């Protein structure tokens, strides 16, 4: 005879598919001797049979349920429906994959007019018992018999009204007894049937309901959205109810096997005497620390310690457990892996290896890469933060915490910071002209823009706290203030930002510095030993490069040269270059820029030693370097000697309807080959000079942006090669320069076989590739992408995690075609996605050589890369 | 012994590869008995050998040249260098593929101090002879001996100066004799060698030079740019010189075997007595009509008629021929297929089939699809146009001619047209708000924008003449005038546009109407019988649909519903809809739009009978429907009752950085499902009502734009399907609705297998697909794409002809994946490319079911489709 029903302990955790997650775990705990309230599980195979046979059950089922019920009654010394010692059970769903709240549950099953008397005798608590009974009728009536909850609610309200009270707790046993009768009548009225008094019938009906709920519309759409496929169905768990509120020898509590905040190996939890689980959660009564239990019930306390050690050893992870003591008898209701802070995760993982509980691979897999973000930035003091009031909320655009005086322009930010003040730059949105101010500020707050807005991208690159797109605030530059409703914050007022949550606070909140403890270093070392792909950083300036190296970057995957054109004098020459009307005057301006660029590159090369440094040539449209305000234009006119009229004409002629798809990237270098030449010269000469000074073999890699057709690359490559050739003669050693391209235009990916004929390396610019592949402007898509994710059209924002089926498909084509032409082609990624764990895993799977991300995400990428490699094993 | 030299007549036209195009043709003509000046061809295999053997010749070559030269001398009764009857020859290059002007030519070879006397005796014309001699030295010195032309020119100038004359023609025989001596000295001075007097040596040196010129830099880059590959090299043609200027029994002329303007089957040409070919071309003397020759040299006239008939019969095409009569002896110098107007091409092709000269397939292939454009639009009277002065030139954005009074805004255009005036709308650039004015105007002139600017696209759709991007004109809306330099054209002044050339004229020029003659119809019928893919039209309004049917469209491939929202009252409701703050008020505005839309669709369905009509749901971003000028905003505020402030806020909130990649297409329908619902309802109910009225099975196909992920389509499809379901109940018959999508986002193409699960048809929107695949904003790329084409990075502007290796690759992926899911998936194209011949051919090759283009390009697409099918055979 096929076995359909398993008494707890007959199965184990390997049987999730048939017993469901919950059932398998209850069996497992029982098996290893944890005192779980006894019960049995009806296999998910029954659910499968049920739907394949027109909602009928296998013939053997009834008998097996009866046998297990008898076994349960014998074990508990109690009987379902008994008027002396009644057994109450819960009936719960539980599939192989958790679908919280999607299917049905019935508690307190077994109550009827007889057993309610038995329960009163047993508990001595009439009110509790009648309350349990009326709750049972409500729940059963709703879930099993289909009577809408509000019908019951109306009756309860009428009783309260009659009595003139407001809360349920004001009703006494007598009132609740009346409610029971009214509830029974509700059921009769809406179903035409009497509320079933036979507990065995109650049980069967509840089982039917749970199996039936497998295919309710809610559950079906949950499975569709979460792509849950191939399950047999749900199992049904029938378990003895236990009560922690049966007097002073009863109680309930929750605890962790280690400190979930710090990871310290200690017993950590709290409990309440004479209470139910929800009382602990509800926070009406203040629970006592778990150590207090030692005084009250030393035996159970010792048992708990024994149990938790056993569980941790068995499950090999920190456990989050719930227990109930019913009249001095201890039951464990649940054990599961406990949630923890990043610091705790790292400490627990490393210490468990030392304790021999887990191996290094497991330890590495135990820490979620994204969690590390917490460890790498300054944080608000958690205690002080609890007290503080959130005045507005924006997007958590760049993690960390920032406290400072509000300023509204980059200039003031810079000046105040020079004076030693800590400032927060508040802008409607930022532009490349704000870079210096952003750099000087503690943090950045913008009213507009998404997770990939200019402010967000630059701030993450700088490892600086940023709250973006905070639509609650209304900024007036003129009055130098912003408002949130009636609250006005003026220039010089202190505010505090939490870049990890997007929260904005008034005043100063203390912060705590990140501590890259020894455990962190150990874990990262292990991660590095497992990962297969390289991790580089996106860094534009020597300071960032140094941070990147500190965080373990193995090179620079992207240096954006345009950021170099904004500081100080440079922007003047850049503007002169743009406003030049002849090649000669353009060259003259470029000659002025050359020394700046060269010195920047030298700084990078010095920081990176013999690690590769990929430098991308000028990418953004030229209009980004010109001002748009009248007074700024006048200023520039004076500086450059070009008439205001001419400057305005130039600005107008550079205006584009879709700058994203406009005159930028290599298109600039093709229109103005002298820009490419100057940049190439700065790189090549800088590399030689550093090599000479340090004796190191500098590895400069020159990257041409926005290539869609191989001819663009050939054009630019010729210019760069000429510069390299010229330099070779000037210096006595040879350096390994290479020339490659961004793959960020779909056409470039599609024709990667052609492009690879010229390109010595590829780097996926997945920001732009996403924009063009999906047809989303990063600056504009925020407003509808949110809805897209809500509707489930996209699972995730494709600018945050690589859209694997779309953009990822494009990448695969490019890799396949590129390596067909050049089998050893080095391919990496330097878009924002390079530091996002699911994207890193994808990059590993499709065979990239490295990922590159902002310096502050390098450890995350390293860990994610290790996860990817370990998951593949 | 390998044969390297072929006497004319020994080869034939099949031997292009070895004899070159010219040599093969000269042999062919000789062979069929055309009196070609005799000569011989040295095979291109010699050229191949030459470069493979360090510029040496095969041993057998000299002997073969000598033999053929002897044969030539015998045939002509003249000898190279002879002092009594000298033979003069030309030495010309000629490869299998014509490379005009890239390689070297030497004329009058054989002259030296002896033969010059012989030529004087023979011609009795001393001046002519010395002139020929000095020209020969100049040409030979330059081409063969490398003496720069200007050295010769200096000497000639000095002689003229000494004599005090201005023109070469003022020099007499004595002067020219002196020039010959000076030229010889130039050669000696610059080469250190005497000018070669041995004609056999002259010949060998000229042959060396021609073979040498195969690899001159000019020829190499010409072959690279034109992708000419795999040729052996050039052949060398040595041919007897003949002279039409040897007195009154000599002459020269050119003629066509049919009238190249009309195609009429008549002898058509002109000639000059006692003249050389260049005299005819130079236009100093006025040639006589060919029929006059009958009176002067009746025998040669009759011979010409006999020869031309023979040639036409032999080459089976209208010929363009050159002849020279040397002392009453007739020579044919060249015959080639003649260029002709579109009208002539059609008439000749159709008549030649009737004459049994060619078959229908050949006839269809004889007419270039693009040529048809001339036939479908009003044209400027060619005679009157010759007299008129072009005052500016823009892009030939939409063909045809237009004459009218200048107006500067759509409103005036509409009003003046209502009054019966003919107007030309002149704008800096047009926007959707100008539609009504464009419709009312005879033609459109814009100062900005390219071939695919709004003005250009809309004008082509309307079949209306448009000159776009005319940078020469400077418009002042305020003063209601535009200027070109000092010329000022005011509102109300007449101008004339030629949309086929982009020319702009002052005043009125008479026009001629297109005549779709019987021959045109016959040819198109043949084309239709050969083509394999369907041709539909892009049409938004019933009038366009009717034109499309007249031009042979088999359905509407794209109806852009947004154009329907601008006329009259509609725009008000559209604006109310956009400004609505609740779903209810949006629905109320949409309810007002519904009857308009429905009536438009009904017009289309009535025009198209049972042909499919594909209607695209709302596509452009909503901001396009809102005004941006202060007074217009005020006006709308009054109309809609929405405050100016609110309207401005809405406009600001709709502003996008890259509207091309912004909130448009199905993204609108997803944000505002009620828009989709209204449009679907208008289509479905309209279809049912027309079906009821006409008894026809209306085929409405609903197209969702800008789908990048299948979820977007599913979302919109559900809404449309619901509307269809509801309508089914209301009407008693069933109509075959289908729901499909544009493939215009790269992601949509890449995941076409998924998209095809929902889409019942695909239509490539190659405009947007090109923008996103190549990363080019159509509105902005004009400035650099021009340079890209000049540099050869792109061969053609990808917005004009499909970029087959990039965008085409994307299309192939979509087709393959789409048909994998749904093997019978109907796939078409509705971008601007659908009417461009090379793109139509590509669409045929990759297996599309149809192309769709503007009504006025339908015949072009039909013919191009036939060409594609026939070329494949």
């Amino acid at each position: 005879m096929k076995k359909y029903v398993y008494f707890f302990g007959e199965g184990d955790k390997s049987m999730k598919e048939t017993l469901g997650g919950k059932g398998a775990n209850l069996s497992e705990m029982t098996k290893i001797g944890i005192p779980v309230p006894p019960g049995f599980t009806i296999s998910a195979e029954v659910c499968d049979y049920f739907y394949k046979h027109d909602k009928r059950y296998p013939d053997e089922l009834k008998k097996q349920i009866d046998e297990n019920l008898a076994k349960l009654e014998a074990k508990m010394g109690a009987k379902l429906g008994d008027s002396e010692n009644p057994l109450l059970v819960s009936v719960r769903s539980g599939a192989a994959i958790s679908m919280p709240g999607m299917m049905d549950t019935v508690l307190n099953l077994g109550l009827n007019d007889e057993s309610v008397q038995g329960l009163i005798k047993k508990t001595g608590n009439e009110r509790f018992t009648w309350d349990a009974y009326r709750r049972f009728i409500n729940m059963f009536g709703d879930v099993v018999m289909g009577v809408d909850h509000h019908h019951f609610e109306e009756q309860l309200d009428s009783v309260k009204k009659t009595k003139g009270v407001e809360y349920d707790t004001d009703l006494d046993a007598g009132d609740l007894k009346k409610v029971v009768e009214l509830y029974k009548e509700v059921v009769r009225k809406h179903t035409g049937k009497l509320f079933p008094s036979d507990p065995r019938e109650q049980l069967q009906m509840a089982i039917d309901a749970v199996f039936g709920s497998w295919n309710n519309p809610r559950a079906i759409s949950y499975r569709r959205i979460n792509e849950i496929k191939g399950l047999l169905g749900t199992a049904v768990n029938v378990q003895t109810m236990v009560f922690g509120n049966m007097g002073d020898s009863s109680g309930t509590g929750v605890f962790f096997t280690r400190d979930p905040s710090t990871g310290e190996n200690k017993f950590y939890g709290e409990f309440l005497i004479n209470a139910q689980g929800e009382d602990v959660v509800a926070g009406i009564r203040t629970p006592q620390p778990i150590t207090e239990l030692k005084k009250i019930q030393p035996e159970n306390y010792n048992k708990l310690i024994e149990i938790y050690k056993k569980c941790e050893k068995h499950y090999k992870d920190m456990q989050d457990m719930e227990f109930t003591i019913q009249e001095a008898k201890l039951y464990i209701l649940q054990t599961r892996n406990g949630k923890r802070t990043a610091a705790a995760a790292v400490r627990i993982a490393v210490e468990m290896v030392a304790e021999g509980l887990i191996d290094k691979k497991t330890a590495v897999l135990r820490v979620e890469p994204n969690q590390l973000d917490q460890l790498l930035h300054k944080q608000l003091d958690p205690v002080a933060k609890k007290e503080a009031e959130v005045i507005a909320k924006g997007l958590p655009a760049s993690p960390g915490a920032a406290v400072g005086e509000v300023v509204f322009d980059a200039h003031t930010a810079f000046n105040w910071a020079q004076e030693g003040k800590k400032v927060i730059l508040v802008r409607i949105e930022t532009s490349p002209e704000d870079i210096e101010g952003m750099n000087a500020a503690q943090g950045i707050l913008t009213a507009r823009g998404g997770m990939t807005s200019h402010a967000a991208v630059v701030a993450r690159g700088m490892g600086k706290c940023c709250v973006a797109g905070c639509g609650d605030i209304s900024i007036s530059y003129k009055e130098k203030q912003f408002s949130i409703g009636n609250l006005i914050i003026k220039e010089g007022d202190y505010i505090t930002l939490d870049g990890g949550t997007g929260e904005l606070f008034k005043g100063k909140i203390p912060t705590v510095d990140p501590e890259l403890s020894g455990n962190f270093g150990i874990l990262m070392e292990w991660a590095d030993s497992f990962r297969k792909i390289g991790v580089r950083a996106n860094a534009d300036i020597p300071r960032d490069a140094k941070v990147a190296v500190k965080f373990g970057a193995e090179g620079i995957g992207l240096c954006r040269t345009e950021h170099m054109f904004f500081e100080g004098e440079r922007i003047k020459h850049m503007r002169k270059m743009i406003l030049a009307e002849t090649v000669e005057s353009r060259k003259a301006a470029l000659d002025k820029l050359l020394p700046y660029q060269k010195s920047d590159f030298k700084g990078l090369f010095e920081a990176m030693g013999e690690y590769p440094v990929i430098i991308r040539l000028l990418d953004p449209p030229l209009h980004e370097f010109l001002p748009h305000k009248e007074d700024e234009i006048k200023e520039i006119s004076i500086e450059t000697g070009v008439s205001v009229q001419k400057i305005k004409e130039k600005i107008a002629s550079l205006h584009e309807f879709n700058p994203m798809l406009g005159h930028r990237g290599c298109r600039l270098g093709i229109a103005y080959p002298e820009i490419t030449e100057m940049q190439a010269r700065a790189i090549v000469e800088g590399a030689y000079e550093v090599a000479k000074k340090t004796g190191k073999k500098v590895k400069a890699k020159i990257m041409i942006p926005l290539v869609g057709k191989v001819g663009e690359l050939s054009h630019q490559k010729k210019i760069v090669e000429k510069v390299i050739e010229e330099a070779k003669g000037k210096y006595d050693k040879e350096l390994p320069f290479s020339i490659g391209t961004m793959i960020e235009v779909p056409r470039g990916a599609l024709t990667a076989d052609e492009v690879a004929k010229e390109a010595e390396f590829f780097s996926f610019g997945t920001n732009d590739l996403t924009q063009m592949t999906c047809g989303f402007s990063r600056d504009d898509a925020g407003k509808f992408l949110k809805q897209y994710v809500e509707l489930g059209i996209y699972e995730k924002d494709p600018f945050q995690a690589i859209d694997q089926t779309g953009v990822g498909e494009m990448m695969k084509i490019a890799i396949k075609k590129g390596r067909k032409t050049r089998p050893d082609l080095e391919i990496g990624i330097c878009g924002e996605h390079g530091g996002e764990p699911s994207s890193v895993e994808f990059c590993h799977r499709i065979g990239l050589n490295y990922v590159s991300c902002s310096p502050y995400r390098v450890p995350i990428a390293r860990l994610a890369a290790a996860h990817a490699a370990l998951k593949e094993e």
Side-chain angles (χ1 to χ4, degrees), chain A:
Chain A
M1 195 172 76
K2 190 158 174 53
K3 188 171 175 65
Y4 285 114
V5 184
Y6 292 77
F7 207 77
F8 292 174
E10 287 183 354
D12 60 41
K13 65 179 175 187
S14 73
M15 295 171 71
K16 273 192 180 176
E17 210 180 317
T18 48
L19 302 186
K22 189 194 301 281
N25 200 35
L26 287 165
S27 255
E28 180 81 16
M29 288 201 289
T30 307
K31 202 169 182 171
I32 64 170
I34 310 296
V36 171
F40 54 87
T41 304
I42 306 170
S43 158
E45 290 176 293
V46 174
C47 190
D48 187 42
Y49 185 102
F50 182 74
Y51 284 106
K52 282 184 179 154
H53 293 83
D54 203 17
K55 304 205 175 172
R56 281 180 298 105
Y57 293 110
D59 295 336
E60 311 90 317
L61 183 66
K62 189 174 176 303
K63 188 162 162 275
Q64 292 189 22
I65 292 174
D66 288 341
E67 282 169 6
N68 276 278
L69 183 58
K71 189 171 171 186
L72 181 61
E73 290 175 330
K75 193 170 174 84
M76 297 305 295
K79 280 183 84 73
L80 215 54
D82 196 64
S83 59
E84 294 298 320
N85 189 12
L87 172 71
L88 300 193
V89 296
S90 62
V91 180
R92 285 186 167 99
S93 64
I97 296 170
S98 170
M99 296 164 56
M102 292 301 119
M103 292 180 292
D104 292 340
T105 291
V106 178
L107 302 178
N108 294 345
L109 187 136
L111 282 173
N112 58 18
D113 293 348
E114 282 83 52
S115 61
V116 81
Q117 298 303 333
L119 194 59
I120 291 170
K121 283 177 206 159
K122 196 172 163 187
T123 61
N125 189 334
E126 227 175 315
R127 192 192 177 282
F128 158 75
T129 307
W130 286 109
D131 194 42
Y133 194 14
R134 69 104 189 163
R135 283 174 193 272
F136 168 56
I137 297 173
N138 184 341
M139 201 170 205
F140 191 96
D142 178 5
V143 166
V144 180
M145 302 183 77
V147 182
D148 205 276
H149 177 68
H150 75 90
H151 298 302
F152 297 104
E153 206 58 24
E154 279 164 16
Q155 296 304 320
L156 188 67
D157 286 346
S158 78
V159 172
K160 283 192 283 186
K161 210 172 168 188
T162 309
K163 201 179 175 184
V165 299
E166 197 175 346
Y167 300 106
D168 293 7
T169 43
D170 296 328
L171 299 179
D172 63 21
D175 302 325
L176 292 166
K177 193 174 171 184
K178 204 156 71 193
V179 171
V180 163
E181 289 313 308
L182 289 168
Y183 277 14
K184 283 188 192 163
E185 181 52 25
V186 165
V187 169
R188 202 204 49 77
K189 191 177 148 200
H190 286 94
T191 65
K193 291 175 199 158
L194 291 177
F195 188 81
S197 60
D198 175 4
R200 184 61 183 83
E201 192 190 344
Q202 291 175 357
L203 178 61
Q204 189 57 50
M205 285 172 78
I207 292 169
D208 294 350
V210 172
F211 283 133
S213 69
W214 172 252
N215 272 344
N216 71 32
R218 218 166 26 150
I220 289 173
S221 61
Y222 183 90
R223 290 197 295 272
R224 184 178 48 75
I225 291 164
N226 293 281
E227 290 186 10
I228 299 174
K229 281 173 200 162
L231 299 191
L232 287 169
T234 182
V236 177
N237 297 293
V238 179
Q239 188 177 22
T240 307
M241 294 288 303
V242 293
F243 300 96
N245 52 354
M246 283 194 179
D248 286 347
S249 66
S250 299
T252 191
V254 295
F255 62 88
F256 293 86
T257 61
R258 308 199 178 203
D259 185 332
S261 296
T262 64
E264 191 188 345
N265 190 351
K266 69 170 188 190
F267 194 26
Y268 181 95
E270 48 193 25
F271 74 102
L272 274 172
I273 283 297
N274 195 14
Q276 279 196 302
E278 56 251 42
D279 301 331
V280 182
V281 183
I284 298 163
R285 289 164 58 193
T286 304
Q288 298 174 271
I290 194 77
T291 41
E292 293 297 309
L293 187 63
K294 199 173 180 177
K295 296 174 198 158
I296 304 166
Q297 297 203 5
E299 203 179 327
N300 275 332
Y301 181 79
N302 289 336
K303 254 193 208 159
L304 270 183
I305 294 208
E306 192 190 312
I307 287 167
Y308 99 65
K309 294 210 161 148
K310 191 182 207 170
C311 275
E312 210 189 62
K313 204 164 167 187
H314 185 72
Y315 289 104
K316 300 181 193 306
D317 199 356
M318 186 263 265
Q319 297 295 298
D320 167 359
M321 301 177 75
E322 288 174 25
F323 68 92
T324 286
I325 298 171
Q326 180 175 312
E327 296 178 317
K329 185 159 169 50
L330 175 69
Y331 292 100
I332 300 295
L333 299 183
Q334 174 154 283
T335 185
R336 56 184 171 191
N337 296 338
K339 295 207 185 305
R340 63 208 79 179
T341 64
V346 170
R347 178 168 174 179
I348 292 170
V350 172
E351 288 186 354
M352 280 192 170
V353 172
E355 293 162 24
L357 268 178
I358 56 174
D359 63 7
K360 290 175 183 172
K361 288 181 182 176
T362 310
V364 166
L365 285 169
R366 280 282 163 81
V367 182
E368 272 310 310
N370 260 334
Q371 269 193 314
L372 293 186
D373 222 12
Q374 289 175 27
L375 296 182
L376 306 173
H377 298 274
K378 191 184 273 193
Q379 297 297 323
L380 292 182
D381 179 332
V383 179
K385 187 182 161 180
K386 256 186 201 163
E387 311 289 303
E389 192 203 348
V390 178
I391 56 171
K393 205 166 170 194
L395 297 169
S398 181
V403 185
E405 297 178 52
V406 167
V407 294
F408 292 96
D409 64 284
H411 196 65
T412 311
F414 183 80
N415 289 341
W416 287 23
Q418 291 286 77
E419 295 165 21
K421 288 186 186 168
K422 292 193 183 312
V423 300
I424 289 182
L425 179 61
V426 181
R427 301 280 303 163
I428 294 173
E429 56 201 332
T430 63
S431 74
E433 296 173 48
D434 297 324
I435 294 276
E436 260 191 294
M438 293 171 75
N439 194 22
Q442 300 297 308
I444 295 123
L445 169 65
T446 68
R448 277 220 291 251
M451 292 295 288
T452 49
S453 60
H454 177 266
V457 173
V458 173
R460 283 198 292 274
M462 291 176 169
K464 201 168 283 281
C465 167
C466 173
V467 172
C470 183
D472 298 343
I473 70 170
S474 170
I475 300 176
S476 166
Y477 287 141
K478 213 173 114 197
E479 298 171 67
K480 293 199 179 175
Q481 64 178 43
F482 70 82
S483 60
I484 304 162
N486 293 325
L487 177 67
I488 300 212
I489 308 274
K490 292 186 169 299
E491 188 178 73
D493 288 352
Y494 270 95
I495 59 169
T496 299
L497 302 181
D498 186 334
T501 62
E503 290 161 321
L504 166 61
F505 305 87
K506 195 166 181 292
K508 299 193 232 183
I509 300 178
T511 58
V512 288
D513 279 335
E515 220 174 308
L516 301 183
S517 68
N519 287 328
F520 176 83
I522 294 169
L523 191 86
M524 291 313 295
E525 212 171 89
W526 295 343
D528 287 343
S529 73
F530 299 131
R531 72 178 157 89
K532 304 242 168 69
I533 61 173
V535 177
R536 300 181 186 170
N538 300 347
D540 306 338
I541 53 172
R543 193 198 59 197
D544 290 351
K546 281 173 202 152
V547 173
V549 171
K550 198 178 87 189
F551 281 142
E554 301 156 323
I556 290 181
L558 175 65
C559 162
R560 286 165 292 233
T561 54
E562 51 272 21
H563 292 167
M564 301 178 168
F565 292 120
F566 284 98
E567 263 176 54
E569 286 293 304
R570 303 167 176 210
I571 185 70
K572 285 188 201 167
H573 299 300
M574 187 65 185
R575 285 167 173 169
K576 268 191 191 153
M577 193 277 287
I578 294 168
L579 295 169
E581 298 210 330
T582 63
V583 174
E584 287 65 39
S585 53
R586 187 153 49 244
K587 278 191 175 164
L590 286 166
D591 283 347
K592 289 275 180 16
L593 285 167
L594 178 67
Y596 290 115
Q597 286 250 299
K598 199 201 277 191
S599 113
D600 285 332
F601 294 138
K602 285 170 75 172
L604 287 182
F605 295 140
E606 281 178 28
M608 298 311 290
E610 299 202 347
Y611 278 137
V613 177
I614 301 183
I615 296 166
R616 180 178 71 182
L617 301 189
L618 192 64
D619 185 53
L622 297 182
H623 72 79
E624 286 195 9
F625 298 96
L626 294 180
H628 295 93
K629 281 192 216 140
E630 194 71 26
D631 53 345
E632 285 177 310
I633 292 172
K634 270 187 199 142
E635 206 174 296
I636 286 161
S637 170
I638 293 161
E639 271 171 18
T640 58
V642 179
S643 75
V644 167
Q645 179 60 19
K646 276 260 161 70
I647 296 175
K648 283 190 182 170
E649 277 171 18
K650 188 73 192 179
I651 291 169
S653 83
L654 289 177
H655 171 265
E656 291 181 313
F657 293 98
N658 298 289
M660 163 64 212
L661 306 175
H663 201 202
R664 49 175 290 243
C666 66
R667 298 165 194 174
L668 292 175
I670 290 170
Y672 308 111
E674 50 282 1
I675 300 180
T676 303
E677 197 188 324
M678 181 279 280
Q679 292 204 294
R681 180 153 291 128
I683 295 167
V684 172
E685 294 184 354
Y688 271 112
E689 288 170 19
V690 170
K692 195 174 173 188
K693 181 178 158 196
T694 63
K696 295 231 167 113
K697 203 164 185 173
V698 173
K699 285 198 189 65
K701 297 163 88 90
I702 296 154
M703 183 155 72
I704 311 297
L706 213 71
V707 167
K709 202 159 195 272
V710 66
E712 299 174 303
L713 179 56
S714 329
H715 181 279
Q716 293 287 286
K717 195 179 173 185
K718 261 187 219 127
I719 298 169
V720 177
E721 275 176 339
K722 192 165 155 263
V723 171
I724 295 174
E725 269 319 302
E726 283 167 14
K728 264 189 195 166
K730 278 207 260 178
Y731 301 88
D732 47 327
K733 73 194 290 181
E734 281 222 353
L735 286 178
F737 295 101
S738 65
I739 303 168
T741 182
M742 299 278 283
I743 296 288
E744 52 188 338
V745 176
R747 200 190 186 291
L750 276 184
T751 59
D753 44 350
E754 288 295 315
V755 175
K757 285 181 187 162
E758 295 281 356
E760 292 166 280
F761 61 88
F762 281 179
S763 177
F764 284 109
T766 45
N767 295 349
D768 279 2
L769 193 59
T770 300
Q771 296 201 77
M772 293 185 228
T773 301
C774 300
F776 294 145
S777 162
R778 205 167 57 162
D779 296 315
D780 305 309
K783 47 183 166 181
F784 59 86
L785 267 187
K786 207 169 145 237
Q787 194 198 9
Y788 268 38
V789 175
E790 279 163 12
L791 289 173
I793 292 174
Y794 275 83
E795 280 153 54
K796 295 177 191 167
D797 181 337
F799 291 112
Q800 287 178 37
I802 288 177
D803 157 37
Q804 300 185 7
T805 51
V807 177
E809 180 65 22
M810 197 64 106
M811 293 170 75
K812 285 188 206 163
I813 291 173
I815 294 167
K816 197 175 151 200
K817 289 194 168 182
R819 292 223 172 106
K820 205 176 120 197
T821 299
R822 208 183 268 259
D824 61 344
L825 187 69
E826 183 191 78
I827 309 182
I829 177 176
C830 63
E832 283 278 307
H833 301 99
E836 189 281 324
S838 75
S839 306
V840 173
E841 190 181 329
F842 180 73
C843 291
H844 166 91
R845 277 208 314 275
I846 61 173
L848 293 202
N849 298 93
Y850 68 88
V851 297
S852 185
C853 55
S854 76
Y856 285 85
R857 292 195 74 84
V858 164
I860 296 168
R862 285 159 69 199
L863 185 55
H867 276 213
L870 291 172
K871 281 181 194 164
E872 205 175 46
E873 274 184 8

